[in-house]
Structures are given as C-alpha cells and as structure tokens.
Amino acid sequence: MIPNQLHIFNAVVKNGNFSAAARQLGTSSAAVSKAIATLEKSMSLRLFHRTTRSLALTEDGDDLYRRTGHLVEQLEDQIRLSSDRQQTPSGRLKVNLPDSFGRMMVLPLLPDFLEQYPEIELDLNFDDRIGDLAKEGADVGIGVLNNPESSLIARDFYQLQPVLVASDTYLARHGTPKTPQELAEHNCIAYRSATTGRKFDWSFRQQDQLIQIEPRGNLVVNSISASMKSVELGMGIARIGIGHARNCLQQGCFKRVLEEFEAEPLRIRVYYASRSYLPAKTRVFIDYLLQHAQDDRAIELEEMLNTL
C-alpha cells in the first residue's frame, strides 16, 4: 500500500522545512509534522534529522525521496491533468512581481484576464525582491532572473529599455552630459537591488562596445517610484525603463539624456517551477501574459510611428 503521506514528505523535502511545506499545501505546520511522524512510524524509518533550527534528510529519507519523489510528482500531475480537463481554470494563483513594474505594466492587463477567467483568484505580491517561489508558496514569478543554475522555467515576457532621464531644473543648473564619461561630473541617482543589496551599474553602447559605469552621487534608492520622484524634484540623473518614464517624458517633467548611447534592453521573464504539467490556472495566466504584453521597444516604436 502506498502511504498517503508521501506527497507531504515530498513537499517538505522540496521546501526545506515544515512551515514552507504547509504554506504550499494550504495546511498547518502541525499537520505536516504529524503526517511525517505517521509516515516514519508506518515505515519504521527515521526520515529527517530535526533540531530547533534545521531540518535535514537522513540516509533513509534521502533514499526514499530519490526512489519515490519523481513517481509521486508524476501521479499528482496526472490526477491534476484529468481533473483540469473537466473543469474551468479556477482557484487561487499566487504571483510574485516587481512593485512599480507590476503596477504599471502587468496590472493593466489583468481586468480582461479576470473577466475571461472569473473562477481564478489572483493573489499578487508586489515586491522588488526576487523571492524563492517554493518557499513563498508562489505559482508564478515575474522579474529579472539571471541565475543560469535555477531549476525554474523562465520565458521572456518583456523587454525593458533603460533610459537616462533628468529634469529641466537639474540640467539648467548642472548642464547636459555629452558622453557616458561626463556622468562622473553629475549627481547620479543609483538604484539598489532589493534582492542582493547591490547597486546596479549603468550600461552603455559606445562605438559598438558595451561599457559599464558605476553611478556616483549622494542618493541611492531601492524603488523605481522614488527614483522617478527624485528626478522630478531635480535631484539628479536616473536610469529607469522608458515605459515607466513615458508619461513624464510626454508631459515634459523629464528629458532623456545620452539617448544615442543607450544599451540593449533588459529581459523581464515569467518564471515558474519546472514540471511536466502545469495546472490549468497557471498555464492560462502565463499564456495570457505572453500574448498581451507590449514591451518598451514596442511602445517606443508605436510612439515613433505616431509622430510621422
């Protein structure tokens, strides 16, 4: 007989602790702990080394996971597939996405999605930090995913074209830089990654060469909204996506700087857990985003055509 606690055992192994597994399974940590204890008793094996601060597989636990983990996942996938074929995509879908980018570029796509799939409940977590999907119980993430060793599936969603912007007030006081090197004489508003804590360098294309400059100034922010407001207040030059700056550029609050030196766009991706089968709610959400996204390059092209 196959123990019905095996799927809970799998969740604990993949998430690394009882609490994260409980969030993924939609139950309590106590229920997960009880299920593991029942499984250990029924198999007469100790599956985990437990302390107050850590949880690690025993040799028997590791052997059990290697032998059965993939089989349990395949069985769960087949059950979900059979169920989804008979049901409308439904249920709670948790999505992690960057704050400003999510509000400005993703949120406007969602009213039509929810109208088309009224049985899906979107749970949106707006956070510039790139979190761990499994540990946070999220189904889908959106952002810059640069880890080539990640087990996640990542699909290109959006090309974000970074541009340098400044206000008329700032440029009138300090002048306009003509080359990336002249930025050393200006107050550059740096952006600090909420994930790594590091400041982003600024990339430029100069005579077919990619060069990077560390922005230097007296202001560092970890919010695109704060960066835009700082530019509007005349505090310096910032590097933000043209999609974020579009309204301010059209209204004359910002001006583009060093436009002829702009580098290639950043790739924003939709990422999700690697598995042979996706629940219907996840699949239709990803397909909808990829079908309806209009990235910065498309926006810029559209604006150029409108001026002809």
Side-chain angles (χ1 to χ4, degrees):
M1 180 177 293
I2 300 176
N4 59 12
Q5 296 87 9
L6 272 179
H7 75 288
I8 298 178
F9 170 72
N10 266 22
V12 173
V13 175
K14 289 189 289 186
N15 286 279
N17 58 67
F18 288 175
S19 298
R23 287 194 295 271
Q24 178 186 330
L25 296 169
T27 186
S28 66
S29 297
V32 170
S33 179
K34 183 178 179 180
I36 296 301
T38 300
L39 181 61
E40 289 178 324
K41 183 177 180 180
S42 67
M43 300 185 69
S44 299
L45 295 173
R46 184 174 179 83
L47 301 176
F48 292 101
H49 295 297
R50 301 174 179 82
T51 70
T52 55
R53 294 187 177 182
S54 66
L55 186 74
L57 282 169
T58 63
E59 184 177 351
D60 288 329
D62 183 65
D63 183 64
L64 177 65
Y65 182 70
R66 285 189 292 105
R67 290 175 180 271
T68 67
H70 65 290
L71 298 176
V72 172
E73 288 188 2
Q74 289 175 11
L75 179 59
E76 290 176 337
D77 284 348
Q78 189 58 50
I79 291 172
R80 291 193 192 98
L81 178 59
S82 299
S83 175
D84 282 344
R85 282 173 176 168
Q86 303 178 31
Q87 297 180 8
T88 301
S90 63
R92 187 174 73 97
L93 185 71
K94 185 172 182 180
V95 182
N96 290 348
L97 64 171
D99 185 16
S100 294
F101 178 85
R103 287 187 287 106
M104 296 183 68
M105 309 303 177
V106 180
L107 200 58
L109 303 176
L110 301 184
D112 289 341
F113 173 80
L114 290 174
E115 184 174 350
Q116 186 173 343
Y117 299 102
E119 299 300 319
I120 294 178
E121 176 194 348
L122 289 179
D123 184 347
L124 306 180
N125 177 39
F126 292 90
D127 191 341
D128 288 329
R129 179 182 56 87
I130 299 176
D132 187 301
L133 290 186
K135 289 183 179 180
E136 297 179 3
D139 302 287
V140 179
I142 297 174
V144 179
L145 188 67
N146 292 321
N147 181 7
E149 299 180 356
S150 173
S151 61
L152 299 172
I153 300 297
R155 299 174 64 182
D156 287 348
F157 164 55
Y158 192 100
Q159 291 190 87
L160 190 149
Q161 179 62 58
V163 297
L164 290 192
V165 294
S167 68
D168 283 331
T169 302
Y170 176 86
L171 296 175
R173 289 201 310 264
H174 302 280
T176 302
K178 303 300 182 184
T179 67
Q181 289 75 14
E182 290 184 15
L183 289 171
E185 304 170 10
H186 287 267
N187 198 52
C188 299
I189 302 169
Y191 182 87
R192 187 182 302 281
S193 168
T195 305
T196 66
R198 297 179 180 178
K199 293 191 298 183
F200 283 109
D201 287 342
W202 291 359
S203 300
F204 300 91
R205 180 66 64 179
Q206 189 172 30
Q207 296 179 348
D208 296 326
Q209 295 294 320
L210 187 66
I211 62 173
Q212 289 188 320
I213 291 179
E214 180 184 355
R216 297 183 181 275
N218 60 9
L219 182 61
V220 180
V221 299
N222 68 347
S223 160
I224 297 298
S225 299
S227 184
M228 292 173 60
K229 188 63 178 179
S230 300
V231 172
E232 188 178 345
L233 293 171
M235 300 176 71
I237 299 173
R239 183 174 184 256
I240 58 180
I242 191 173
H244 290 89
R246 178 175 50 174
N247 289 339
C248 288
L249 288 169
Q250 291 174 342
Q251 295 168 10
C253 308
F254 296 171
K255 281 189 175 179
R256 290 172 71 168
V257 178
L258 298 179
E259 187 173 348
E260 63 273 27
F261 295 98
E262 289 167 3
E264 288 76 12
L266 299 174
R267 291 191 295 172
I268 307 296
R269 292 168 167 167
V270 177
Y271 52 94
Y272 50 95
S274 173
R275 57 190 308 162
S276 57
Y277 167 71
L278 281 176
K281 61 182 180 181
T282 307
R283 175 173 43 79
V284 298
F285 179 73
I286 293 172
D287 289 345
Y288 186 91
L289 288 184
L290 298 181
Q291 181 182 354
H292 291 85
Q294 185 186 31
D295 61 33
D296 283 353
R297 287 227 167 149
I299 292 172
E300 198 164 22
L301 178 59
E302 180 182 337
E303 291 177 351
M304 289 173 58
L305 292 174
N306 288 338
T307 62
L308 296 179

